Amino acid sequence: MHLFAHFSRFCAGFGGFMSKNIAIFASGNGTNAENIIRYFQNSESVNVKLVLADRETAFVLERARRLNVPFACLDKAAWVDGTAVLSLLEDKGIDFIVLAGFLARVPDCILHAYPNKIINIHPSLLPKFGGKGMYGGHVHEAVVAAGETETGITIHYLNEHFDEGEIIVQYKCPVLLQDTAEDVAKKVHALEYEYYPKVIGGLLSEVC
């Protein structure tokens, strides 16, 4: 599906343009989350209203604190049940959810409350190198081991299965014969930083 068609379908769910509040779910260091927050800092149409983590050691919480974005960490039980998470999202008036290195499964009650309003970024060209346990360095190591000549990022809607939601857009980069997993990671991160905020902005843009 063409990216604009995704925008149009997404916007139909909102019924007109207005300022949108987004939440970022993250589990780790949070570089993508910080990049997204900074991208929208001066936006009049998109507000990063909340950062949620599933582990207290996630450095993304410190990044959110430094950037004056409200944040919270909910324990494993909360993410299994989902009720407390959903209540917090509703209290903050969240319209749209962005996963940025979030490793836990998003509860069904949240998926049902936000149909076609939750997106994820995966560091490969899905359906290759996706699924449970395939994240971060594990993906890049698998790409190199398989002798792939290209890789990239996939931005997709979230559903009940890891990395199987409808693809919105993909961006590619070459994998050279001499590239290590670390080399591939640098190329993929560059794509993430350049394109993820732009795609989020497009989904929440004035076409709504």
Side-chain angles (χ1 to χ4, degrees):
M1 183 183 292
H2 190 277
L3 189 55
F4 184 83
H6 282 277
F7 295 168
S8 300
R9 184 181 67 179
F10 176 85
C11 295
F14 279 115
F17 175 76
M18 59 184 296
S19 179
K20 305 300 188 304
N21 297 326
I22 70 174
I24 299 174
F25 292 3
S27 296
N29 191 28
T31 54
N32 264 317
E34 178 169 341
N35 188 49
I36 293 165
I37 293 167
R38 291 189 181 280
Y39 184 87
F40 291 113
Q41 268 184 332
N42 298 315
S43 173
E44 295 181 356
S45 58
V46 178
N47 304 306
V48 180
K49 289 292 291 289
L50 181 65
V51 170
L52 285 183
D54 63 330
R55 51 191 69 183
E56 293 181 357
T57 56
F59 192 70
V60 69
L61 298 171
E62 175 62 18
R63 293 182 188 273
R65 185 192 66 79
R66 293 176 183 177
L67 293 166
N68 297 312
V69 174
F71 61 89
C73 179
L74 288 86
D75 62 18
K76 182 177 179 180
W79 288 104
V80 171
D81 174 71
T83 305
V85 181
L86 183 57
S87 177
L88 184 54
L89 295 172
E90 291 172 344
D91 287 345
K92 291 290 185 180
I94 299 300
D95 300 302
F96 187 62
I97 299 169
V98 173
L99 273 59
F102 187 67
L103 302 181
R105 184 181 182 279
V106 175
D108 287 348
C109 66
I110 297 176
L111 293 174
H112 298 156
Y114 289 88
N116 295 318
K117 296 184 179 72
I118 309 176
I119 65 171
N120 181 46
I121 189 168
H122 186 77
S124 75
L125 300 174
L126 292 174
K128 289 186 174 182
F129 309 106
K132 190 171 183 179
M134 293 300 288
Y135 61 89
H138 299 294
V139 175
H140 308 313
E141 290 167 4
V143 166
V144 171
E148 296 290 313
T149 59
E150 65 177 10
T151 188
I153 61 172
T154 301
I155 299 170
H156 65 94
Y157 290 111
L158 206 69
N159 67 11
E160 292 86 355
H161 307 287
F162 282 107
D163 303 325
E164 294 184 14
E166 183 182 357
I167 292 172
I168 299 170
V169 67
Q170 294 181 315
Y171 297 98
K172 300 178 180 180
C173 61
V175 180
L176 305 180
L177 192 60
Q178 68 270 23
D179 279 348
T180 65
E182 290 75 19
D183 296 326
V184 173
K186 290 177 182 178
K187 296 178 183 181
V188 171
H189 288 155
L191 293 178
E192 292 172 346
Y193 301 152
E194 179 176 1
Y195 290 110
Y196 203 18
K198 292 178 181 177
V199 172
I200 296 166
L203 288 169
L204 297 169
S205 71
E206 292 186 0
V207 298
C208 296

